[in-house]
Amino acid sequence: NHHKRETRDYQELDASHHIHAFLDQKVLNAEGPRVIVKGEGLYLWDNDGNRYLDGMSGLWCTNLGYGREDLVAAATQQMQQLPYYNMFFHTTHPAVVELSEMLFSLLPRHYSHAIYTNSGSEANEVLIRTVRRYWQVVGQPKKRVMIGRWNGYHGSTLASSAMGGMKFMHEMGGMLPEIAHIDEPYWYAHGGTMTPEEFGRRCALQLEEKILELGAENVAGFIAEPFQGAGGMIFPPESYWPEIQRICRQYHVLLCADEVIGGFGRTGEWFAHQHFGFEPDTLSIAKGLTSGYIPMGGLVLSRTIAEALVEKGGVFAHGLTYSGHPVAAAVALANLKALRDEGIVSQVKKDSGPYLQKGLREIFTHHPLIGEIQGTGMVAALQFAEDKARRQRFSNESDITWRCRTYGFEEGVIIRSTVGRMIMAPALVAKHSEIDELLEKTKRAVDRTARDLGLM
Ligand SMILES: Cc1ncc(COP(=O)(O)O)c(CNc2cccc(C(=O)O)c2)c1O
């Protein structure tokens, strides 16, 4: 289809003009990036004809997989009719209205309005400005502080990275006042001698301590991923979310769930907070909203917040050129229609999710390298351990998981490495045969890593 150039050619031009994300550019330039040229279903091809099973849905986002003609048709038709218009001049357009109707038909009744953005980071930037505005409007203007968690991830713009808990990102000129953090509920690493139950409650109680330390009258909201994604695909203990919700309600702190990864079927529920059984006041969304075919994000507001902003808020001093972009909205509508009408979310809950989770546990529960398996639906993590009995992690765990990821590519599968954990999040449309292939190739990569370490 498109004009093919030599891989080396692409790599040299890329190195001359393009700063990549979250990597050491000099290291990348030495080895040269893989040039990904085509996607179909769960598969990707690089410029040299190598095929990979994409066990990560791109970056947790291609929930419908690659090559969906319905999404292409929706984008083409909208682009031909109205490729762009805005929400600034007392105007709207059918695409964003239809999307909103569909989106709120899938959300719990408790939510009523959305602010649309181009990314998850922007959704979380808008979140801070919106919740502060809400507290002004309802007469508590001092409530401004946002509390996040260490090792949480909320994006890479200034305030979203400050609310996130990645210290190496904060070093890049990225911390702000009126943002605080509590510990992450990562039992395997930080639970010590506590049971998960006890540890979950202790982590949640840190929120109460932090609110009391800051003064509840100063705290606007608590932002958290229902399960941490970029931080390592970490599920909190069961005791965590009920306690967090109690605390937020008791101190009138808005509970802001970041559903950028968890949203749109990843856990087998439409939204991850439904899997964990709590009810946030706001939801940040992106990724699975359009299956990554076109950038779009948003901030979903509870009826209470929306009504205050509409009825008493006056001019809402926020707006982005591409908010509710018609082509993005048209693709999102087609995406949500497919997820709903093809029964994909319930399929993940009833069939493909359990199939993946069962397969992982059969293969890795007794594997010498794997200390813990977490996940549900179409998302999972394998925790590497140096000494399983003592829940001892490796000191150089990032290098080890990075090597496992490289073995994955060599075996023809893409899985994500984070600090000490291997993650997979395949497209929700994965068939049993593709899940079998994912499990088989992941096992090969993990076994090769274990042999390197003399554990097999
Ligand atoms: C929970 C969450 N919130 C916000 C964002 C930011 O969204 P945008 O990137 O669209 O601005 C994310 C993004 N998540 C993300 C982005 C890049 C890499 C990885 C990884 O796991 O390697 C994860 C995310 O996972």
Side-chain angles (χ1 to χ4, degrees):
N1 25 26
H2 56 133
H3 173 63
K4 177 169 158 53
R5 299 172 77 154
E6 288 313 308
T7 299
R8 194 81 209 107
D9 204 356
Y10 286 125
Q11 290 173 333
E12 277 159 16
L13 282 167
D14 193 58
S16 313
H17 304 298
H18 181 196
I19 296 289
H20 285 236
F22 286 107
L23 53 73
D24 179 329
Q25 195 78 17
K26 196 152 49 167
V27 170
L28 177 72
N29 291 347
E31 69 196 24
R34 285 185 183 83
V35 180
I36 305 297
V37 295
K38 177 174 168 37
E40 185 66 41
L42 267 84
Y43 294 95
L44 292 167
W45 284 262
D46 69 17
N47 197 48
D48 302 319
N50 300 305
R51 187 186 82 154
Y52 306 95
L53 175 70
D54 181 6
M56 267 310 290
S57 299
L59 267 184
W60 322 76
C61 55
T62 57
N63 290 17
L64 283 184
Y66 303 101
R68 292 283 310 209
E69 285 307 324
D70 48 348
L71 272 58
V72 174
T76 307
Q77 195 273 329
Q78 183 63 46
M79 221 176 252
Q80 285 162 340
Q81 176 158 339
L82 180 72
Y84 172 76
Y85 208 62
N86 67 72
M87 313 290 155
F88 288 60
F89 303 150
H90 289 223
T91 50
T92 189
H93 49 70
V96 75
V97 172
E98 306 270 343
L99 168 60
S100 298
E101 181 185 38
M102 167 65 83
L103 178 61
F104 284 90
S105 77
L106 300 170
L107 279 160
R109 307 312 307 149
H110 156 79
Y111 303 103
S112 67
H113 284 68
I115 301 166
Y116 294 107
T117 66
N118 307 294
S119 66
S121 299
E122 287 171 320
N124 289 324
E125 295 292 331
V126 176
L127 169 69
I128 300 182
R129 302 185 68 229
T130 301
V131 298
R132 285 176 176 169
R133 179 70 189 140
Y134 167 75
W135 287 117
Q136 286 170 351
V137 169
V138 297
Q140 298 204 56
K142 284 175 58 195
K143 284 173 86 72
R144 293 174 50 79
V145 177
M146 290 297 289
I147 301 171
R149 291 143 350 139
W150 294 117
N151 202 34
Y153 188 85
H154 301 298
S156 192
T157 46
L158 186 54
S160 64
S161 64
M163 285 192 294
M166 307 277 184
K167 292 182 178 144
F168 76 109
M169 290 177 79
H170 298 160
E171 282 151 27
M172 187 175 159
M175 189 31 79
L176 291 174
E178 300 181 300
I179 287 178
H181 297 87
I182 59 173
D183 288 337
E184 60 178 321
Y186 179 11
W187 174 77
Y188 197 89
H190 309 306
T193 56
M194 283 181 263
T195 63
E197 189 70 20
E198 207 179 316
F199 178 71
R201 204 176 10 265
R202 286 280 298 276
C203 281
L205 284 172
Q206 279 194 30
L207 178 60
E208 186 162 41
E209 290 153 18
K210 184 58 77 176
I211 290 169
L212 293 172
E213 175 197 323
L214 293 163
E217 70 281 5
N218 299 313
V219 182
F222 172 66
I223 183 170
E225 305 147 84
F227 62 90
Q228 291 160 261
M233 214 316 290
I234 298 163
F235 273 34
E238 308 243 324
S239 54
Y240 184 75
W241 279 116
E243 197 60 10
I244 290 286
Q245 177 156 268
R246 173 192 68 78
I247 294 164
C248 286
R249 293 205 169 139
Q250 182 175 337
Y251 295 97
H252 304 294
V253 168
L254 295 177
L255 179 42
C256 304
D258 189 335
E259 290 269 16
V260 167
I261 283 183
F264 305 105
R266 185 57 57 192
T267 63
E269 303 295 342
W270 275 97
F271 296 93
H273 73 268
Q274 295 167 307
H275 171 75
F276 293 99
F278 65 101
E279 192 171 84
D281 299 296
T282 68
L283 309 177
S284 305
I285 59 175
K287 293 188 191 281
L289 173 62
T290 60
S291 280
Y293 279 54
I294 187 163
M296 190 177 214
L299 179 66
V300 170
L301 303 176
S302 71
R303 200 172 300 283
T304 307
I305 295 173
E307 267 165 15
L309 293 174
V310 169
E311 298 309 316
K312 296 186 280 183
V315 172
F316 186 66
H318 159 77
L320 302 166
T321 306
Y322 301 130
S323 292
H325 190 285
V327 182
V331 171
L333 175 63
N335 176 64
L336 296 183
K337 215 175 263 181
L339 283 171
R340 183 195 64 185
D341 297 350
E342 295 172 26
I344 292 168
V345 177
S346 52
Q347 173 80 6
V348 168
K349 182 168 186 170
K350 286 197 321 279
D351 175 56
S352 47
Y355 187 78
L356 170 65
Q357 300 300 330
K358 179 168 171 286
L360 280 168
R361 285 159 179 78
E362 279 168 1
I363 295 170
F364 292 110
T365 300
H366 303 295
H367 194 286
L369 187 48
I370 305 303
E372 180 188 57
I373 304 164
Q374 286 200 316
T376 193
M378 297 299 260
V379 69
L382 301 173
Q383 170 73 56
F384 281 19
E386 179 161 37
D387 179 333
K388 290 178 65 163
R390 293 184 16 252
R391 233 172 68 225
Q392 179 71 38
R393 291 175 297 150
F394 291 96
S395 51
N396 61 334
E397 53 187 353
S398 295
D399 301 342
I400 292 174
T401 42
W402 181 261
R403 190 184 319 163
C404 185
R405 173 195 178 279
T406 305
Y407 286 153
F409 264 101
E410 290 171 7
E411 299 293 338
V413 66
I414 299 175
I415 44 182
R416 174 98 168 67
S417 68
T418 55
V419 179
R421 291 165 77 93
M422 293 309 294
I423 297 170
M424 57 187 71
L428 309 189
V429 295
K431 298 191 282 287
H432 283 203
S433 58
E434 291 157 338
I435 293 172
D436 291 341
E437 183 182 348
L438 171 60
L439 291 168
E440 174 53 36
K441 291 182 172 178
T442 299
K443 181 178 186 321
R444 283 201 219 123
V446 172
D447 286 353
R448 286 175 63 181
T449 311
R451 276 196 286 278
D452 286 357
L453 296 163
L455 286 171
M456 273 180 92

